[in-house]
Amino acid sequence: MAHESTGAIYAAAGANLAIAAAKFAGGFLTGSTAMLAEGVHSVVDTLNQMLLLVGLKRAEKPADTRHPFGYGREIYFYAFVVALMIFLGGGLFAIYEGVERLWHPEPDRDAHLFGYTIPGLWVNIAILGFSVAAEGYSWTVAMRQFWAEKGRHSALHAIRRSKDPSLFTILAEDTAALIGLLIALAGVVLAHVLEMPALDGAASIGIGLVLVGMALFLMIETHGLLIGEAADPALVEAIREIVRGEPGVIHLNEVLTQHLGPSDILVNLSLDMADDLTAGAVEATVTRLDRALKAREPDVKRVFIEIQGKPEEARAAAA
């Protein structure tokens, strides 16, 4: 999944660099606050994609004595930082600029290039149209890869169960960007047609609210991954079935799983085994379980098995 995520990130970063330059040019030439807010949004998105690439790279570092379980959670940390930057650098800035424009509304200026005068409205529409096309391409790349991963689940459910924040963060960013572009386009056109420059500021506030909402959603999703989430329930149930298939296991006391990274699952088992088993038989059982669990799910990288008696609650229930 890391390879697919990286492809989506590069596509998004390339699109956002071109879009940011175009938006800033349009904003400075015409004085549109919504365009400037969208330019800042694109810069923030580009920085975010660079951060995700850093996170993916650092997550690949091998385990060492200081971090014996590896660095897989690096991507979770950087994804959370990205959500925070969308909230602060994109959302709050756009709202601030929009409020300023509402208090001090000014009509868009015409652009003067190489001795020609171009109406500000058409400059902004052309730039926004280019931005929609570029952002749409980036969104299509991310959506195609996300769709392949989500399977039969709904999009929201797939995001909730996904352990790879790099892909759904890019998809969320691109979706917010497209919505923001449509808001900016509506604000620019309505401000000109209705001769109400304040609508440009209102569009900037609308863009900011979209970004804040998307950032809060990403914060909630990445927070759970950062502090540690269990493996998919279907995998946990498969683990239970494999363990119960071992003849020497009397009772499965507990299954604890945790994602140490998008493709790194830790499995801890507590088993009550037959008292008449020799040490060699117990060792053979543990070895078979380790191999079976890793064969069932390649993302299971570490399996720890504890042999202990059945808990009193289980004994009482059996009686």
Side-chain angles (χ1 to χ4, degrees), residues 209-243:
L209 292 176
V210 169
L211 294 177
V212 167
M214 189 64 73
L216 291 175
F217 173 75
L218 290 175
M219 283 181 185
I220 292 171
E221 291 303 312
T222 54
H223 171 262
L225 294 169
L226 189 59
I227 63 175
E229 282 191 2
D232 188 88
L235 175 58
V236 175
E237 185 56 34
I239 291 173
R240 293 181 182 276
E241 290 300 318
I242 291 172
V243 173

Side-chain angles (χ1 to χ4, degrees), residues 1-314:
M1 182 54 64
H3 175 73
E4 290 82 354
S5 301
T6 302
I9 293 172
Y10 278 122
N16 277 309
L17 279 175
I19 291 170
K23 288 175 180 175
F24 278 125
F28 285 123
L29 287 172
T30 66
S32 170
T33 302
M35 289 293 289
L36 289 175
E38 274 291 305
V40 172
H41 174 196
S42 294
V43 170
V44 171
D45 279 355
T46 304
L47 292 175
N48 289 342
Q49 281 125 30
M50 296 301 102
L51 281 174
L52 287 176
L53 288 173
V54 170
L56 285 171
K57 185 66 176 178
R58 290 183 61 85
E60 294 175 354
K61 292 174 60 178
D64 52 36
T65 54
R66 189 173 182 183
H67 297 90
F69 289 102
Y71 292 80
R73 283 184 179 168
E74 288 272 15
I75 185 58
Y76 299 156
F77 168 75
Y78 280 93
F80 188 83
V81 172
V82 164
L84 190 61
M85 286 186 62
I86 295 173
F87 180 81
L88 296 175
L92 296 187
F93 176 82
I95 292 174
Y96 170 78
E97 287 294 318
V99 171
E100 281 289 307
R101 187 62 179 259
L102 285 178
W103 281 105
H104 306 96
E106 295 180 5
D108 291 342
R109 302 187 300 268
D110 291 339
H112 301 282
L113 290 172
F114 309 110
Y116 294 95
T117 299
I118 306 174
L121 173 66
W122 295 112
V123 172
N124 287 332
I125 289 177
I127 292 173
L128 288 172
F130 164 76
S131 300
V132 168
E135 200 70 65
Y137 167 75
S138 174
W139 181 87
T140 300
V141 172
M143 177 57 77
R144 186 184 301 120
Q145 294 171 4
F146 175 76
W147 209 261
E149 180 192 351
K150 85 178 190 68
R152 58 183 176 81
H153 301 283
S154 67
L156 182 60
H157 180 66
I159 291 175
R160 298 303 302 270
R161 67 187 290 271
S162 175
K163 310 304 178 185
D164 182 7
S166 57
L167 183 55
F168 68 70
T169 297
I170 290 297
L171 180 61
E173 278 189 348
D174 288 346
T175 301
L178 282 174
I179 295 173
L181 286 169
L182 294 177
I183 294 174
L185 185 61
V188 166
V189 172
L190 290 176
H192 178 82
V193 172
L194 300 178
E195 298 183 352
M196 295 176 62
L199 291 178
D200 187 52
S204 182
I205 294 175
I207 294 168
L209 292 176
V210 169
L211 294 177
V212 167
M214 189 64 73
L216 291 175
F217 173 75
L218 290 175
M219 283 181 185
I220 292 171
E221 291 303 312
T222 54
H223 171 262
L225 294 169
L226 189 59
I227 63 175
E229 282 191 2
D232 188 88
L235 175 58
V236 175
E237 185 56 34
I239 291 173
R240 293 181 182 276
E241 290 300 318
I242 291 172
V243 173
R244 288 168 183 153
E246 279 293 329
V249 177
I250 296 176
H251 186 261
L252 172 57
N253 300 327
E254 194 171 27
V255 178
L256 297 176
T257 63
Q258 188 173 101
H259 267 269
L260 303 179
S263 301
D264 187 352
I265 301 174
L266 169 68
V267 176
N268 294 280
L269 301 175
S270 172
L271 308 179
D272 180 15
M273 303 191 71
D275 295 336
D276 58 353
L277 289 178
T278 64
V282 172
E283 181 180 322
T285 300
V286 169
T287 301
R288 283 196 303 273
L289 285 174
D290 181 87
R291 291 174 177 170
L293 295 180
K294 291 177 179 177
R296 166 60 177 77
E297 177 53 66
D299 287 346
V300 173
K301 299 297 192 296
R302 298 169 183 82
V303 178
F304 295 98
I305 300 177
E306 182 180 30
I307 310 301
Q308 59 183 177
K310 185 187 300 184
E312 291 298 328
E313 297 83 0

